[in-house]
Amino acid sequence: MVTRTWTATDECGLTTTHTQTVTVQDTTAPTFNEALPSDVTEECDAVTDAVTLTASDNCGNADVTFDEVRTDGDCPSNYILTRTWTATDECGLTTTHTQTVTVQDTTAPTITTVAADQTVQCDGSGNTNELQAWLDTNAGAVATDNCGTVTWTNNFTGLTDGCGETGIALVTFTATDECGNSRSTTALFTILDLLPPTIDTEANDLTVECDGAGNTSELQAWLDTNGGASSSDICGAITWTNNYTGLSDECGSTGSATVTFTATDDCGNATTTTATFTIEDTNAPTFNETLPVRRYCRV
C-alpha cells in the first residue's frame, strides 16, 4: 500500500492537506512460457516423457511444480497418466495445466522363432513322451512382447487315426500378451511306421513221407502255420501271406515247394522268411500176393 500526502501552506503558516492511498495488488496469475502439451494416446512401449515447463509473472518470479498420477486399467500395459503442471507466483496466484496420457497395448507378440514340425518313429504307445515334450516346448517356437510377458497355449486335442498306431496332429501354438493380444504359429507332429515286422522265429523246412495223395493235410497245416514262423511288430497287427503255387513234379507223387512267407504290418511294411516243404518216398514197394516158399528136392 502507498500513502501519498499533499500539503498546501500559505505565508501565515496555514495548511491544507490531501491524502491519497494507493493499494497495490497482484491479481494476475502467472503464464506458462512454452506450448502446453495436449492429451495423447500412446503405445505402451513409446510413452513420451513429461515436458519441462517454465512460467513468467507480471509482478515477479513464478515457480513451476509437476505431479504425475497413474490410474491402472484392465491390464498391466493399459493405464492413464494424469500430468499436472502448476505455476505459482510470489503472491500465491496459480495457473495449472493438465495433460492426460492414455497408454495402451495394441501390439501382438512377435514370433521370433516359428514352431517346427516333428516326425517320430512309432513306438506303439502314442509316442506320448515325445509328443508331450513337443507340446511343452511349443514346438520350439519363441515369442517376445513389446510391453510384458507372453503366455503360450495350443489347440491340440488328439492325433488322427492312421495305420497301426500312427497319426498326425496339426497344432496351432498361440502366444498371448498380458493385454490379450496374440499371434500364432502352426506345426505338424507326425508318427510314422517305417520299420518292418521282426521275424522272431524263422520258417522251418518240413519233409514228409509220400502218401500218394499229395500230402495235402500236412502241406496245408504247414502253410497255415507259416512254416512255424512267428513275427511281432510294435506299431500294429501283422498279416501273413505266402507265395505257394504248387509242388514240383518229381518221382511218383513226390515233390517240393520252396515257399516265402511274408509278414506285413498295418502300414504295409513287410519282412520275409523262407522254408521248403518236401514230399519224399523212402519206402520200397511191397508185393500184393503171397510169395512162393523156397523148396528143396532130394535126388
mmCIF file with all atom_site columns, all heavy atoms in Angstrom, residues 176-195:
data_model
loop_
_atom_site.group_PDB
_atom_site.id
_atom_site.type_symbol
_atom_site.label_atom_id
_atom_site.label_alt_id
_atom_site.label_comp_id
_atom_site.label_asym_id
_atom_site.label_entity_id
_atom_site.label_seq_id
_atom_site.pdbx_PDB_ins_code
_atom_site.Cartn_x
_atom_site.Cartn_y
_atom_site.Cartn_z
_atom_site.occupancy
_atom_site.B_iso_or_equiv
_atom_site.pdbx_formal_charge
_atom_site.auth_seq_id
_atom_site.auth_comp_id
_atom_site.auth_asym_id
_atom_site.auth_atom_id
_atom_site.pdbx_PDB_model_num
ATOM 1   N N   . THR A 1 176 ? 0.157  -65.149  -26.255 1.00 0.00 ? 176 THR A N   1
ATOM 2   C CA  . THR A 1 176 ? -0.749 -64.076  -25.852 1.00 0.00 ? 176 THR A CA  1
ATOM 3   C C   . THR A 1 176 ? -0.084 -63.207  -24.796 1.00 0.00 ? 176 THR A C   1
ATOM 4   O O   . THR A 1 176 ? 0.473  -63.725  -23.822 1.00 0.00 ? 176 THR A O   1
ATOM 5   C CB  . THR A 1 176 ? -2.055 -64.661  -25.281 1.00 0.00 ? 176 THR A CB  1
ATOM 6   O OG1 . THR A 1 176 ? -2.643 -65.543  -26.244 1.00 0.00 ? 176 THR A OG1 1
ATOM 7   C CG2 . THR A 1 176 ? -3.048 -63.556  -24.947 1.00 0.00 ? 176 THR A CG2 1
ATOM 8   N N   . ASP A 1 177 ? -0.132 -61.878  -25.001 1.00 0.00 ? 177 ASP A N   1
ATOM 9   C CA  . ASP A 1 177 ? 0.462  -60.990  -24.002 1.00 0.00 ? 177 ASP A CA  1
ATOM 10  C C   . ASP A 1 177 ? -0.529 -60.691  -22.883 1.00 0.00 ? 177 ASP A C   1
ATOM 11  O O   . ASP A 1 177 ? -1.659 -61.187  -22.875 1.00 0.00 ? 177 ASP A O   1
ATOM 12  C CB  . ASP A 1 177 ? 1.016  -59.715  -24.645 1.00 0.00 ? 177 ASP A CB  1
ATOM 13  C CG  . ASP A 1 177 ? -0.079 -58.806  -25.211 1.00 0.00 ? 177 ASP A CG  1
ATOM 14  O OD1 . ASP A 1 177 ? -1.245 -58.943  -24.822 1.00 0.00 ? 177 ASP A OD1 1
ATOM 15  O OD2 . ASP A 1 177 ? 0.264  -57.932  -26.042 1.00 0.00 ? 177 ASP A OD2 1
ATOM 16  N N   . GLU A 1 178 ? -0.124 -59.875  -21.931 1.00 0.00 ? 178 GLU A N   1
ATOM 17  C CA  . GLU A 1 178 ? -0.924 -59.627  -20.732 1.00 0.00 ? 178 GLU A CA  1
ATOM 18  C C   . GLU A 1 178 ? -2.187 -58.815  -21.006 1.00 0.00 ? 178 GLU A C   1
ATOM 19  O O   . GLU A 1 178 ? -3.078 -58.754  -20.162 1.00 0.00 ? 178 GLU A O   1
ATOM 20  C CB  . GLU A 1 178 ? -0.061 -58.913  -19.690 1.00 0.00 ? 178 GLU A CB  1
ATOM 21  C CG  . GLU A 1 178 ? 1.082  -59.780  -19.171 1.00 0.00 ? 178 GLU A CG  1
ATOM 22  C CD  . GLU A 1 178 ? 2.046  -59.000  -18.299 1.00 0.00 ? 178 GLU A CD  1
ATOM 23  O OE1 . GLU A 1 178 ? 2.561  -57.973  -18.770 1.00 0.00 ? 178 GLU A OE1 1
ATOM 24  O OE2 . GLU A 1 178 ? 2.281  -59.435  -17.166 1.00 0.00 ? 178 GLU A OE2 1
ATOM 25  N N   . CYS A 1 179 ? -2.255 -58.218  -22.192 1.00 0.00 ? 179 CYS A N   1
ATOM 26  C CA  . CYS A 1 179 ? -3.444 -57.438  -22.553 1.00 0.00 ? 179 CYS A CA  1
ATOM 27  C C   . CYS A 1 179 ? -4.306 -58.150  -23.580 1.00 0.00 ? 179 CYS A C   1
ATOM 28  O O   . CYS A 1 179 ? -5.210 -57.546  -24.177 1.00 0.00 ? 179 CYS A O   1
ATOM 29  C CB  . CYS A 1 179 ? -3.033 -56.061  -23.057 1.00 0.00 ? 179 CYS A CB  1
ATOM 30  S SG  . CYS A 1 179 ? -2.425 -54.971  -21.736 1.00 0.00 ? 179 CYS A SG  1
ATOM 31  N N   . GLY A 1 180 ? -4.031 -59.450  -23.805 1.00 0.00 ? 180 GLY A N   1
ATOM 32  C CA  . GLY A 1 180 ? -4.889 -60.248  -24.670 1.00 0.00 ? 180 GLY A CA  1
ATOM 33  C C   . GLY A 1 180 ? -4.553 -60.202  -26.143 1.00 0.00 ? 180 GLY A C   1
ATOM 34  O O   . GLY A 1 180 ? -5.246 -60.825  -26.954 1.00 0.00 ? 180 GLY A O   1
ATOM 35  N N   . ASN A 1 181 ? -3.510 -59.492  -26.533 1.00 0.00 ? 181 ASN A N   1
ATOM 36  C CA  . ASN A 1 181 ? -3.077 -59.504  -27.928 1.00 0.00 ? 181 ASN A CA  1
ATOM 37  C C   . ASN A 1 181 ? -2.347 -60.813  -28.199 1.00 0.00 ? 181 ASN A C   1
ATOM 38  O O   . ASN A 1 181 ? -1.562 -61.275  -27.359 1.00 0.00 ? 181 ASN A O   1
ATOM 39  C CB  . ASN A 1 181 ? -2.147 -58.321  -28.215 1.00 0.00 ? 181 ASN A CB  1
ATOM 40  C CG  . ASN A 1 181 ? -2.787 -57.000  -27.863 1.00 0.00 ? 181 ASN A CG  1
ATOM 41  O OD1 . ASN A 1 181 ? -3.791 -56.616  -28.425 1.00 0.00 ? 181 ASN A OD1 1
ATOM 42  N ND2 . ASN A 1 181 ? -2.193 -56.292  -26.893 1.00 0.00 ? 181 ASN A ND2 1
ATOM 43  N N   . SER A 1 182 ? -2.575 -61.406  -29.359 1.00 0.00 ? 182 SER A N   1
ATOM 44  C CA  . SER A 1 182 ? -2.000 -62.731  -29.609 1.00 0.00 ? 182 SER A CA  1
ATOM 45  C C   . SER A 1 182 ? -1.528 -62.884  -31.050 1.00 0.00 ? 182 SER A C   1
ATOM 46  O O   . SER A 1 182 ? -1.980 -62.177  -31.955 1.00 0.00 ? 182 SER A O   1
ATOM 47  C CB  . SER A 1 182 ? -3.020 -63.827  -29.280 1.00 0.00 ? 182 SER A CB  1
ATOM 48  O OG  . SER A 1 182 ? -4.138 -63.747  -30.147 1.00 0.00 ? 182 SER A OG  1
ATOM 49  N N   . ARG A 1 183 ? -0.611 -63.822  -31.206 1.00 0.00 ? 183 ARG A N   1
ATOM 50  C CA  . ARG A 1 183 ? -0.123 -64.206  -32.520 1.00 0.00 ? 183 ARG A CA  1
ATOM 51  C C   . ARG A 1 183 ? 0.173  -65.703  -32.488 1.00 0.00 ? 183 ARG A C   1
ATOM 52  O O   . ARG A 1 183 ? 0.565  -66.241  -31.453 1.00 0.00 ? 183 ARG A O   1
ATOM 53  C CB  . ARG A 1 183 ? 1.124  -63.412  -32.905 1.00 0.00 ? 183 ARG A CB  1
ATOM 54  C CG  . ARG A 1 183 ? 1.422  -63.437  -34.415 1.00 0.00 ? 183 ARG A CG  1
ATOM 55  C CD  . ARG A 1 183 ? 2.649  -62.587  -34.732 1.00 0.00 ? 183 ARG A CD  1
ATOM 56  N NE  . ARG A 1 183 ? 2.541  -61.218  -34.282 1.00 0.00 ? 183 ARG A NE  1
ATOM 57  C CZ  . ARG A 1 183 ? 1.959  -60.255  -34.978 1.00 0.00 ? 183 ARG A CZ  1
ATOM 58  N NH1 . ARG A 1 183 ? 1.409  -60.533  -36.155 1.00 0.00 ? 183 ARG A NH1 1
ATOM 59  N NH2 . ARG A 1 183 ? 1.935  -59.023  -34.511 1.00 0.00 ? 183 ARG A NH2 1
ATOM 60  N N   . SER A 1 184 ? -0.025 -66.389  -33.628 1.00 0.00 ? 184 SER A N   1
ATOM 61  C CA  . SER A 1 184 ? 0.049  -67.850  -33.653 1.00 0.00 ? 184 SER A CA  1
ATOM 62  C C   . SER A 1 184 ? 1.074  -68.362  -34.662 1.00 0.00 ? 184 SER A C   1
ATOM 63  O O   . SER A 1 184 ? 1.443  -67.663  -35.613 1.00 0.00 ? 184 SER A O   1
ATOM 64  C CB  . SER A 1 184 ? -1.328 -68.446  -33.979 1.00 0.00 ? 184 SER A CB  1
ATOM 65  O OG  . SER A 1 184 ? -2.276 -68.104  -32.999 1.00 0.00 ? 184 SER A OG  1
ATOM 66  N N   . THR A 1 185 ? 1.488  -69.608  -34.437 1.00 0.00 ? 185 THR A N   1
ATOM 67  C CA  . THR A 1 185 ? 2.353  -70.331  -35.353 1.00 0.00 ? 185 THR A CA  1
ATOM 68  C C   . THR A 1 185 ? 1.915  -71.794  -35.337 1.00 0.00 ? 185 THR A C   1
ATOM 69  O O   . THR A 1 185 ? 1.478  -72.306  -34.297 1.00 0.00 ? 185 THR A O   1
ATOM 70  C CB  . THR A 1 185 ? 3.841  -70.183  -34.969 1.00 0.00 ? 185 THR A CB  1
ATOM 71  O OG1 . THR A 1 185 ? 4.651  -70.965  -35.853 1.00 0.00 ? 185 THR A OG1 1
ATOM 72  C CG2 . THR A 1 185 ? 4.094  -70.632  -33.534 1.00 0.00 ? 185 THR A CG2 1
ATOM 73  N N   . THR A 1 186 ? 1.993  -72.467  -36.462 1.00 0.00 ? 186 THR A N   1
ATOM 74  C CA  . THR A 1 186 ? 1.426  -73.809  -36.615 1.00 0.00 ? 186 THR A CA  1
ATOM 75  C C   . THR A 1 186 ? 2.495  -74.804  -37.063 1.00 0.00 ? 186 THR A C   1
ATOM 76  O O   . THR A 1 186 ? 3.376  -74.470  -37.865 1.00 0.00 ? 186 THR A O   1
ATOM 77  C CB  . THR A 1 186 ? 0.278  -73.784  -37.640 1.00 0.00 ? 186 THR A CB  1
ATOM 78  O OG1 . THR A 1 186 ? -0.724 -72.874  -37.192 1.00 0.00 ? 186 THR A OG1 1
ATOM 79  C CG2 . THR A 1 186 ? -0.356 -75.156  -37.799 1.00 0.00 ? 186 THR A CG2 1
ATOM 80  N N   . ALA A 1 187 ? 2.390  -76.044  -36.548 1.00 0.00 ? 187 ALA A N   1
ATOM 81  C CA  . ALA A 1 187 ? 3.336  -77.092  -36.932 1.00 0.00 ? 187 ALA A CA  1
ATOM 82  C C   . ALA A 1 187 ? 2.662  -78.456  -36.845 1.00 0.00 ? 187 ALA A C   1
ATOM 83  O O   . ALA A 1 187 ? 1.594  -78.604  -36.246 1.00 0.00 ? 187 ALA A O   1
ATOM 84  C CB  . ALA A 1 187 ? 4.581  -77.047  -36.043 1.00 0.00 ? 187 ALA A CB  1
ATOM 85  N N   . LEU A 1 188 ? 3.323  -79.459  -37.462 1.00 0.00 ? 188 LEU A N   1
ATOM 86  C CA  . LEU A 1 188 ? 2.802  -80.826  -37.517 1.00 0.00 ? 188 LEU A CA  1
ATOM 87  C C   . LEU A 1 188 ? 3.625  -81.749  -36.626 1.00 0.00 ? 188 LEU A C   1
ATOM 88  O O   . LEU A 1 188 ? 4.866  -81.713  -36.644 1.00 0.00 ? 188 LEU A O   1
ATOM 89  C CB  . LEU A 1 188 ? 2.866  -81.364  -38.947 1.00 0.00 ? 188 LEU A CB  1
ATOM 90  C CG  . LEU A 1 188 ? 1.758  -80.992  -39.930 1.00 0.00 ? 188 LEU A CG  1
ATOM 91  C CD1 . LEU A 1 188 ? 2.146  -81.453  -41.334 1.00 0.00 ? 188 LEU A CD1 1
ATOM 92  C CD2 . LEU A 1 188 ? 0.439  -81.628  -39.524 1.00 0.00 ? 188 LEU A CD2 1
ATOM 93  N N   . PHE A 1 189 ? 2.920  -82.587  -35.871 1.00 0.00 ? 189 PHE A N   1
ATOM 94  C CA  . PHE A 1 189 ? 3.564  -83.709  -35.178 1.00 0.00 ? 189 PHE A CA  1
ATOM 95  C C   . PHE A 1 189 ? 3.112  -84.983  -35.879 1.00 0.00 ? 189 PHE A C   1
ATOM 96  O O   . PHE A 1 189 ? 1.904  -85.234  -35.998 1.00 0.00 ? 189 PHE A O   1
ATOM 97  C CB  . PHE A 1 189 ? 3.170  -83.754  -33.705 1.00 0.00 ? 189 PHE A CB  1
ATOM 98  C CG  . PHE A 1 189 ? 3.914  -84.796  -32.918 1.00 0.00 ? 189 PHE A CG  1
ATOM 99  C CD1 . PHE A 1 189 ? 5.148  -84.518  -32.361 1.00 0.00 ? 189 PHE A CD1 1
ATOM 100 C CD2 . PHE A 1 189 ? 3.385  -86.071  -32.743 1.00 0.00 ? 189 PHE A CD2 1
ATOM 101 C CE1 . PHE A 1 189 ? 5.839  -85.481  -31.639 1.00 0.00 ? 189 PHE A CE1 1
ATOM 102 C CE2 . PHE A 1 189 ? 4.069  -87.035  -32.025 1.00 0.00 ? 189 PHE A CE2 1
ATOM 103 C CZ  . PHE A 1 189 ? 5.304  -86.735  -31.465 1.00 0.00 ? 189 PHE A CZ  1
ATOM 104 N N   . THR A 1 190 ? 4.067  -85.784  -36.359 1.00 0.00 ? 190 THR A N   1
ATOM 105 C CA  . THR A 1 190 ? 3.742  -86.956  -37.171 1.00 0.00 ? 190 THR A CA  1
ATOM 106 C C   . THR A 1 190 ? 4.383  -88.201  -36.582 1.00 0.00 ? 190 THR A C   1
ATOM 107 O O   . THR A 1 190 ? 5.589  -88.212  -36.294 1.00 0.00 ? 190 THR A O   1
ATOM 108 C CB  . THR A 1 190 ? 4.237  -86.775  -38.619 1.00 0.00 ? 190 THR A CB  1
ATOM 109 O OG1 . THR A 1 190 ? 3.682  -85.562  -39.155 1.00 0.00 ? 190 THR A OG1 1
ATOM 110 C CG2 . THR A 1 190 ? 3.819  -87.956  -39.486 1.00 0.00 ? 190 THR A CG2 1
ATOM 111 N N   . ILE A 1 191 ? 3.568  -89.232  -36.392 1.00 0.00 ? 191 ILE A N   1
ATOM 112 C CA  . ILE A 1 191 ? 4.072  -90.543  -36.001 1.00 0.00 ? 191 ILE A CA  1
ATOM 113 C C   . ILE A 1 191 ? 4.023  -91.439  -37.236 1.00 0.00 ? 191 ILE A C   1
ATOM 114 O O   . ILE A 1 191 ? 2.944  -91.673  -37.799 1.00 0.00 ? 191 ILE A O   1
ATOM 115 C CB  . ILE A 1 191 ? 3.228  -91.164  -34.875 1.00 0.00 ? 191 ILE A CB  1
ATOM 116 C CG1 . ILE A 1 191 ? 3.227  -90.263  -33.638 1.00 0.00 ? 191 ILE A CG1 1
ATOM 117 C CG2 . ILE A 1 191 ? 3.750  -92.556  -34.515 1.00 0.00 ? 191 ILE A CG2 1
ATOM 118 C CD1 . ILE A 1 191 ? 2.327  -90.749  -32.523 1.00 0.00 ? 191 ILE A CD1 1
ATOM 119 N N   . LEU A 1 192 ? 5.193  -91.910  -37.667 1.00 0.00 ? 192 LEU A N   1
ATOM 120 C CA  . LEU A 1 192 ? 5.293  -92.778  -38.838 1.00 0.00 ? 192 LEU A CA  1
ATOM 121 C C   . LEU A 1 192 ? 5.730  -94.172  -38.415 1.00 0.00 ? 192 LEU A C   1
ATOM 122 O O   . LEU A 1 192 ? 6.375  -94.357  -37.385 1.00 0.00 ? 192 LEU A O   1
ATOM 123 C CB  . LEU A 1 192 ? 6.316  -92.223  -39.836 1.00 0.00 ? 192 LEU A CB  1
ATOM 124 C CG  . LEU A 1 192 ? 5.982  -90.910  -40.545 1.00 0.00 ? 192 LEU A CG  1
ATOM 125 C CD1 . LEU A 1 192 ? 7.123  -90.535  -41.489 1.00 0.00 ? 192 LEU A CD1 1
ATOM 126 C CD2 . LEU A 1 192 ? 4.679  -91.030  -41.322 1.00 0.00 ? 192 LEU A CD2 1
ATOM 127 N N   . ASP A 1 193 ? 5.375  -95.158  -39.255 1.00 0.00 ? 193 ASP A N   1
ATOM 128 C CA  . ASP A 1 193 ? 5.882  -96.524  -39.076 1.00 0.00 ? 193 ASP A CA  1
ATOM 129 C C   . ASP A 1 193 ? 6.676  -96.874  -40.324 1.00 0.00 ? 193 ASP A C   1
ATOM 130 O O   . ASP A 1 193 ? 6.106  -97.147  -41.381 1.00 0.00 ? 193 ASP A O   1
ATOM 131 C CB  . ASP A 1 193 ? 4.731  -97.513  -38.883 1.00 0.00 ? 193 ASP A CB  1
ATOM 132 C CG  . ASP A 1 193 ? 5.236  -98.938  -38.658 1.00 0.00 ? 193 ASP A CG  1
ATOM 133 O OD1 . ASP A 1 193 ? 6.457  -99.105  -38.467 1.00 0.00 ? 193 ASP A OD1 1
ATOM 134 O OD2 . ASP A 1 193 ? 4.412  -99.866  -38.682 1.00 0.00 ? 193 ASP A OD2 1
ATOM 135 N N   . LEU A 1 194 ? 7.989  -96.840  -40.187 1.00 0.00 ? 194 LEU A N   1
ATOM 136 C CA  . LEU A 1 194 ? 8.872  -97.140  -41.315 1.00 0.00 ? 194 LEU A CA  1
ATOM 137 C C   . LEU A 1 194 ? 9.614  -98.454  -41.130 1.00 0.00 ? 194 LEU A C   1
ATOM 138 O O   . LEU A 1 194 ? 10.406 -98.836  -41.984 1.00 0.00 ? 194 LEU A O   1
ATOM 139 C CB  . LEU A 1 194 ? 9.891  -96.004  -41.484 1.00 0.00 ? 194 LEU A CB  1
ATOM 140 C CG  . LEU A 1 194 ? 9.306  -94.595  -41.727 1.00 0.00 ? 194 LEU A CG  1
ATOM 141 C CD1 . LEU A 1 194 ? 10.430 -93.576  -41.791 1.00 0.00 ? 194 LEU A CD1 1
ATOM 142 C CD2 . LEU A 1 194 ? 8.478  -94.574  -43.000 1.00 0.00 ? 194 LEU A CD2 1
ATOM 143 N N   . LEU A 1 195 ? 9.341  -99.130  -40.017 1.00 0.00 ? 195 LEU A N   1
ATOM 144 C CA  . LEU A 1 195 ? 10.076 -100.351 -39.708 1.00 0.00 ? 195 LEU A CA  1
ATOM 145 C C   . LEU A 1 195 ? 9.227  -101.586 -39.995 1.00 0.00 ? 195 LEU A C   1
ATOM 146 O O   . LEU A 1 195 ? 8.056  -101.642 -39.605 1.00 0.00 ? 195 LEU A O   1
ATOM 147 C CB  . LEU A 1 195 ? 10.500 -100.365 -38.242 1.00 0.00 ? 195 LEU A CB  1
ATOM 148 C CG  . LEU A 1 195 ? 11.431 -99.221  -37.800 1.00 0.00 ? 195 LEU A CG  1
ATOM 149 C CD1 . LEU A 1 195 ? 11.728 -99.341  -36.310 1.00 0.00 ? 195 LEU A CD1 1
ATOM 150 C CD2 . LEU A 1 195 ? 12.713 -99.229  -38.606 1.00 0.00 ? 195 LEU A CD2 1
#
